Amino acid sequence: MAQGIHVVLVVNDEAAHWQGYRDRLAANDGAASVSVAVPAGERRDSILAVLGDKVRIVAEDPAELLAAESPQLAVITVPPLDSPPIIDAALDAGAHVLTEKPASVSDTVLEPLARKALACDRHLMLAFAGSQQPAVRDAARIIRDEGRLGTLYGVTAHYIADQARIRDVEQLQRRTGSSNTWFFEKRVGGGGHLSWLGIHFVDMLHVVTGHDVVEVSAMTNVAGGQPIDVEDSAVLTLRYDNGMLASLTSAYYLDQHDVADDKQALFKVWGENGWLQIDPHEGTPLTCYSNLPAYADQPRERIDYDSDFITGYDTLMHEALLAAAGRGDPPTSTLDALQALRVVHAAYRSAASGRAEPVPARGEWTLP
């Protein structure tokens, strides 16, 4: 990257994955300088030590810092309840935004910010690192660009994490960087597993298939019996704009205390001419089959990877910096962000009502 940009990093005491953003801004030459809005304490000391000479200004109030600095990119990781006013201030400062998902407690809160970002030609990017993995991009190429599966019929997917983090604050901190339990509080986080982790797969489903959800039926549960007011288990049936159906299970089921083995995932797509399967979390091989004549000599393909889910965060940061500098497309678009959150909250409405719920079309506004 020939020339880096100025970035503002916004972190608070309940921020998730803040170490990852810190480390990637320090390592990537695309960030030439970084100003930081973070409360005083050990977290601030750590950020400043790792960023080193890149640090320009340190402050506590993010809105004041954004207004004073006018950065090209704001990187925001705070709980969903706290995110919207900071995103708004960043857009007012003329910055593109990369923010930890889900970015707000509901899609109706995010929609005005998405409209504002589009109106001022800024990118509002959610941290959908899953879609930046090589396996997911290869799946999109095979299905969307090469059309090996033909018309898509259906998808099944699951993303399962550890129940242990709900019960054990130490486990929660090891996995997220935050010991605060907002992940399990509707008022602060907007939802449970589906909002925090399942949303990765909602986005991946769109990226891989190229289609948008038009209707959701869902059931949710607190399978582990913990005293939380959000779901630790959700099962969704999704109808897409081409008629394709998908099933998604999003849940904390595992009882794992080993951080290296705290998730299980699967993603399989069937079409009129074949199928494709990946595990988007562990970086295991992509396998696919096509009966099209062009692939008669090799109807099956296997692609191996030496990377895992974390690799997607490297690509996410790199491409967000390039996009903010005007030298590339954003890793995820503003409307991608809004549509993913719309699907999540349509699922919550469906679970509450017992009925299928519609999802507004991409680019359609629901608020005046």
Side-chain angles (χ1 to χ4, degrees):
M1 188 177 292
Q3 183 179 1
I5 64 172
H6 182 54
V7 179
V8 162
L9 172 64
V10 180
V11 175
N12 68 13
D13 289 337
E14 291 79 43
H17 296 164
W18 60 275
Q19 304 98 321
Y21 295 109
R22 173 202 64 192
D23 295 349
R24 288 172 177 85
L25 287 172
N28 197 305
D29 291 339
S33 58
V34 183
S35 291
V36 184
V38 58
E42 293 183 3
R43 191 164 294 197
R44 175 190 281 188
D45 295 342
S46 174
I47 291 171
L48 299 186
V50 172
L51 289 175
D53 292 341
K54 284 192 175 184
V55 176
R56 192 156 87 181
I57 293 177
V58 182
E60 293 207 11
D61 188 289
E64 290 182 4
L65 181 63
L66 286 160
E69 291 287 276
S70 298
Q72 287 156 284
L73 177 67
V75 177
I76 302 167
T77 176
V78 299
L81 182 66
D82 302 329
S83 295
I86 302 173
I87 295 170
D88 196 40
L91 294 173
D92 283 341
H96 299 282
V97 176
L98 172 63
T99 181
E100 185 56 75
K101 39 70 183 166
S104 67
V105 297
S106 76
D107 56 314
T108 55
V109 175
L110 190 65
E111 180 178 308
L113 296 171
R115 294 181 71 170
K116 184 172 184 173
L118 291 170
C120 62
D121 198 25
R122 301 291 91 179
H123 304 306
L124 173 51
M125 302 168 280
L126 265 62
F128 291 145
S131 296
Q132 320 313 320
Q133 298 172 83
V136 175
R137 291 191 168 185
D138 282 340
R141 169 181 55 81
I142 289 167
I143 291 174
R144 298 177 63 172
D145 299 339
E146 299 174 5
R148 288 197 214 179
L149 307 192
T151 299
L152 300 181
Y153 291 160
V155 181
T156 188
H158 65 248
Y159 195 24
I160 311 300
D162 58 299
Q163 177 77 205
R165 75 178 71 192
I166 302 178
R167 304 189 302 266
D168 188 336
V169 170
E170 181 181 346
Q171 294 299 320
L172 178 66
Q173 187 166 24
R174 290 175 67 190
R175 287 166 167 82
T176 65
S178 173
S179 59
N180 188 282
T181 57
W182 64 261
F183 303 93
F184 315 117
E185 297 177 20
K186 185 175 180 63
R187 182 186 69 85
V188 184
H193 188 284
L194 182 59
S195 286
W196 175 240
L197 294 176
I199 195 171
H200 277 300
F201 271 54
V202 171
D203 179 62
M204 275 189 269
L205 281 161
H206 165 70
V207 168
V208 169
T209 68
H211 293 289
D212 281 324
V213 177
V214 296
E215 187 179 54
V216 182
S217 295
M219 293 183 183
T220 61
N221 192 20
V222 183
Q226 299 301 309
I228 56 177
D229 68 349
V230 296
E231 83 290 348
D232 66 3
S233 173
V235 177
L236 283 61
T237 301
L238 309 169
R239 184 184 300 277
Y240 282 77
D241 53 17
N242 69 332
M244 175 182 70
L245 299 178
S247 63
L248 172 62
T249 298
S250 170
Y252 293 111
Y253 287 157
L254 296 173
D255 189 14
Q256 297 288 340
H257 283 71
D258 179 2
V259 173
D261 187 27
D262 69 333
K263 294 187 179 70
Q264 295 176 354
L266 175 70
F267 193 109
K268 190 163 186 176
V269 186
W270 293 273
E272 62 175 327
N273 299 119
W275 53 265
L276 179 145
Q277 179 172 314
I278 56 175
D279 174 344
H281 188 263
E282 295 299 330
T284 52
L286 177 154
T287 54
C288 65
Y289 164 81
S290 176
N291 63 19
L292 289 173
Y295 302 97
D297 292 340
Q298 188 181 349
R300 292 177 180 266
E301 182 177 3
R302 169 181 168 137
I303 304 174
D304 292 294
Y305 304 94
D306 59 3
S307 60
D308 59 17
F309 198 94
I310 299 301
T311 303
Y313 283 97
D314 298 331
T315 303
L316 178 78
M317 180 61 76
H318 180 70
E319 294 189 356
L321 288 165
L322 282 174
R327 294 197 290 271
D329 294 328
T332 181
S333 75
T334 301
L335 290 180
D336 288 342
L338 179 59
Q339 289 305 109
L341 204 59
R342 281 175 164 176
V343 171
V344 167
H345 285 275
Y348 291 147
R349 292 192 296 273
S350 173
S353 69
R355 299 186 299 271
E357 293 287 335
V359 178
R362 180 176 292 258
E364 176 183 316
W365 307 118
T366 64
L367 301 173

